Amino acid sequence: MTLTGEFFAFMALALVAIIGGVLLLNLNKVVHMVVALIFTFVAIAGIYILLNAEFVAAVQILIYSGAITIIMLFGIMLTKPYDDEGDSASHGSKWRKILLFLGVVGFAFAVYVGIYNFPIEQVPSTLNENNTLEVGKALYSKYIIPFEFVSVLLLASLIGAIILAKREDKEGDSK
């Protein structure tokens, strides 16, 4: 095993992704949970960049940043404006956090040992050359019919959602 900048970047991004996921599960406020989720998604996009998948990283940022905005809006609108902070520092909660931390560390160690003791021979490949260009060529030549089908399906679902929302609005006005 050689210690390179790519190795340290991967470890830092993986640590941010894991910490973001654990914080997402343990935080109580919706806004804090969404910020933890954003950190996780950005770290995963960084891992995609390390894997020379720039297109997937850009799509990860674009789609999930929009999705995070929607999650934040719905989360804030649909939850109560105050949080009842009870006895969160109880004895069982501390043990749960300690066991969770030990489980994450144990899993990380098992993955680390499993990866570096698994004999994989490296084969030169040209998969990452002009990645975005190749995805665009495939999307607009080989997969043009499914691409257009998905766009029509999304348009139909958008129109259906508007019709359903208008129908509920009219029912609310008549009462």
Side-chain angles (χ1 to χ4, degrees), residues 69-85:
T69 305
I70 299 299
I71 288 173
M72 183 180 279
L73 288 174
F74 280 116
I76 291 171
M77 288 187 308
L78 297 176
T79 58
K80 55 187 174 183
Y82 58 90
D83 289 327
D84 292 333
E85 295 196 17

Side-chain angles (χ1 to χ4, degrees), residues 25-124:
L25 296 175
N26 286 321
L27 292 174
N28 294 329
K29 298 188 184 222
V30 176
V31 176
H32 296 164
M33 294 168 71
V34 169
V35 171
L37 192 59
I38 289 172
F39 277 117
T40 302
F41 287 148
V42 170
I44 290 171
I47 292 172
Y48 285 143
I49 289 173
L50 287 176
L51 293 171
N52 293 325
E54 296 87 10
F55 179 76
V56 179
V59 168
Q60 170 90 9
I61 297 273
L62 288 173
I63 290 175
Y64 284 114
S65 65
I68 290 304
T69 305
I70 299 299
I71 288 173
M72 183 180 279
L73 288 174
F74 280 116
I76 291 171
M77 288 187 308
L78 297 176
T79 58
K80 55 187 174 183
Y82 58 90
D83 289 327
D84 292 333
E85 295 196 17
D87 190 21
S88 63
S90 65
H91 187 66
S93 177
K94 288 180 183 178
W95 278 109
R96 188 182 80 163
K97 289 179 182 177
I98 291 171
L99 288 175
L100 178 68
F101 176 74
L102 290 176
V104 168
V105 169
F107 179 74
F109 179 74
V111 168
Y112 178 79
V113 169
I115 287 174
Y116 284 106
N117 290 335
F118 192 70
I120 300 174
E121 61 183 69
Q122 294 183 354
V123 179

Side-chain angles (χ1 to χ4, degrees), residues 158-172:
L158 178 67
I159 292 170
I162 291 171
I163 290 171
L164 288 175
K166 290 288 184 185
R167 207 178 280 162
E168 288 178 5
D169 194 26
K170 287 179 183 176
E171 290 174 1

Side-chain angles (χ1 to χ4, degrees), residues 13-31:
L13 289 169
L15 188 64
V16 168
I18 290 170
I19 289 172
V22 170
L23 284 176
L24 173 69
L25 296 175
N26 286 321
L27 292 174
N28 294 329
K29 298 188 184 222
V30 176
V31 176

Side-chain angles (χ1 to χ4, degrees), residues 144-165:
I144 189 70
I145 301 297
F147 179 76
E148 290 298 327
F149 179 72
V150 167
S151 66
V152 170
L153 183 67
L154 288 173
L155 179 64
S157 65
L158 178 67
I159 292 170
I162 291 171
I163 290 171
L164 288 175

